Amino acid sequence: MTSTSSSPKILVTGGAGFIGSHTVVSLIEAGFEPVIIDNFSNSERSVLVGLRTILGRDVTCYPVDCNDEAEMESIFQKEKPIGVIHFAAHKAVGESVAQPLKYYRNNLDSLLLLLELMPAFKVPNLVFSSSCTVYGQPEQLPVTEETPRLPAQSPYGNTKAIGEDIIRDAVRAKVPVKALALRYFNPIGAHPSAQIGELPLGVPANLVPFITQTAAGIRPGLTVYGDDYNTPDGTCIRDYIDVMDLADAHVQALKKLIEKDMASSYDVINIGTGRGETVLNVIKTFEEATGVKVNYAIGPRRPGDVEKVYADVSKATKVLNWSARRSLAESLRDAWQWQQKIS
Ligand code: WQD
């Protein structure tokens, strides 16, 4: 079912970003009408062209900073959405350590503004982009939503933990909003059409774009940050979730909120595959899936890295009737197709 002019509108802040743009596709395929709000500080306008190619139509986009109160108010006034998916945030872990105030100001003010405007315009449904980073290095694995959050490893991670608490406390104080915070694990991959994908600006911090840029000859080689961890091959373990599966999880979360049958008005849900993969196995799987060799060398550990983290996703299956469907190989093949398109 695709959206029509009478489809319910959903504001998607950061909707031109990696996860946001893929969620826009899933929203339209599910019969919603997404309205993108993006200041393009960490995304490119070419994403809108990619979306038009995939969807065969334009998506409304406001080139606006979601901290701009006047602009946001007029968008709520004009579009009359039934929900908001809030992706917009600065998300570079290293940068957040160097510029913490920029992160606290941007990431928290935008959320606080939404929590004021949503009741004012009677918009009850909020899906919040959170992160597994709130778990730090958990004591036991896989992590469930009851696993205690540990002190954030970075100001970026702290803005996600504080964001969750802001929403929780607002709901407890009867602010008329129902919210689900989705704790993403490691998003990877690209839309199978290779029309949209991950667009890291500058040198990629994350593993998979570094692998694909190395495979494309853009980077001379990949450094594997440490092989002396307590894991099967000594390299760190993560839960790599396909961006299309992640996008679908947002649609399921929105539907759950709209159904109104939520036990409480706020909840957190892990969105991962439930499988842990080592760095070396990601490299090996990429080479097997694409037939392209990756030049890498083992280097020192990266400060701040947790040794292993992966999700228990039983709550997502139970509450959202959702589970990840795409394999690591499929995600890496799609990421490689996208890299070849933009190289
Ligand atoms: C994955 C693994 C690295 C690059 C980050 C954010 C987190 C979340 C997901 C938003 C680690 C290793 C990486 C490289 C390597 N983002 N690696 N060489 O750090 O798990 O999580 O993205 O919510 O908040 O911190 O992802 O892709 O950077 O690293 O060996 O060149 O790959 O050491 O073990 P990370 P990552």
Side-chain angles (χ1 to χ4, degrees):
M1 178 172 92
T2 57
S3 67
T4 66
S5 56
S6 60
S7 299
K9 290 186 177 175
I10 305 297
L11 297 190
V12 184
T13 72
F18 176 36
I19 303 163
S21 56
H22 289 77
T23 302
V24 162
V25 174
S26 296
L27 283 168
I28 287 182
E29 287 170 354
F32 292 100
E33 181 58 35
V35 174
I36 295 172
I37 299 173
D38 203 304
N39 66 2
F40 293 97
S41 64
N42 191 27
S43 53
E44 295 180 8
R45 282 174 166 72
S46 60
V47 170
L48 302 178
V49 176
L51 284 172
R52 186 190 309 128
T53 306
I54 294 169
L55 298 165
R57 47 153 288 189
D58 283 319
V59 178
T60 306
C61 175
Y62 291 88
V64 157
D65 185 324
C66 55
N67 281 297
D68 183 328
E69 185 163 355
E71 290 283 3
M72 289 296 285
E73 203 163 325
S74 75
I75 293 168
F76 269 87
Q77 182 78 45
K78 180 168 179 231
E79 300 295 344
K80 296 181 176 39
I82 65 155
V84 179
I85 302 181
H86 185 38
F87 291 107
H90 293 325
K91 65 162 189 104
V93 170
E95 185 189 47
S96 77
V97 174
Q99 302 181 59
L101 300 184
K102 170 183 172 183
Y103 273 67
Y104 287 114
R105 168 68 71 190
N106 181 69
N107 293 7
L108 298 181
D109 278 4
S110 55
L111 175 61
L112 289 166
L113 180 57
L114 281 176
L115 289 171
E116 287 163 12
L117 292 177
M118 288 177 70
F121 288 91
K122 299 189 177 15
V123 180
N125 306 302
L126 172 63
V127 179
F128 176 64
S129 165
S130 189
S131 168
C132 66
T133 200
V134 302
Y135 294 115
Q137 176 56 70
E139 294 296 309
Q140 93 271 13
L141 288 167
V143 283
T144 72
E145 290 81 356
E146 284 64 50
T147 300
R149 290 181 344 193
L150 292 179
Q153 312 264 329
S154 69
Y156 159 75
N158 211 20
T159 66
K160 291 303 179 182
I162 297 169
E164 289 186 2
D165 293 349
I166 288 172
I167 298 168
R168 180 204 58 205
D169 292 348
V171 166
R172 277 186 187 156
K174 305 288 181 232
V175 169
V177 165
K178 292 181 285 134
L180 285 171
L182 303 186
R183 290 175 177 167
Y184 311 157
F185 283 70
N186 288 56
I188 62 168
H191 190 272
S193 68
Q195 293 300 324
I196 54 174
E198 196 166 3
L199 274 173
L201 303 184
V203 179
N206 295 133
L207 177 65
V208 170
F210 214 113
I211 287 176
T212 59
Q213 288 192 13
T214 301
I218 297 170
R219 308 276 164 213
L222 165 78
T223 301
V224 172
Y225 296 136
D227 68 345
D228 57 350
Y229 288 98
N230 178 23
T231 63
D233 61 22
T235 62
C236 291
I237 289 175
R238 294 290 185 276
D239 183 331
Y240 295 95
I241 168 92
D242 189 280
V243 68
M244 291 308 295
D245 284 331
L246 185 53
D248 292 343
H250 286 79
V251 172
Q252 292 308 110
L254 192 62
K255 285 180 176 174
K256 184 71 188 172
L257 290 167
I258 294 166
E259 275 164 22
K260 294 188 180 55
D261 71 344
M262 275 176 61
S264 84
S265 293
Y266 171 67
D267 211 348
V268 293
I269 302 180
N270 287 339
I271 303 295
T273 65
R275 295 186 307 273
E277 300 285 358
T278 67
V279 174
L280 286 178
N281 190 45
V282 173
I283 295 170
K284 178 169 168 288
T285 305
F286 176 86
E287 293 179 334
E288 288 167 356
T290 62
V292 179
K293 197 107 186 66
V294 176
N295 176 31
Y296 72 88
I298 304 294
R301 291 184 176 193
R302 178 172 66 174
D305 269 343
V306 298
E307 180 173 77
K308 44 190 165 198
V309 61
Y310 55 93
D312 176 316
V313 291
S314 47
K315 184 172 178 182
T317 303
K318 181 164 164 277
V319 173
L320 302 182
N321 186 28
W322 171 92
S323 60
R325 287 184 288 122
R326 292 160 178 90
S327 68
L328 179 63
E330 282 175 86
S331 304
L332 294 169
R333 239 194 315 277
D334 288 341
W336 176 234
Q337 271 195 132
W338 165 247
Q339 180 65 62
Q340 290 175 291
K341 166 101 178 342
I342 59 175
S343 295

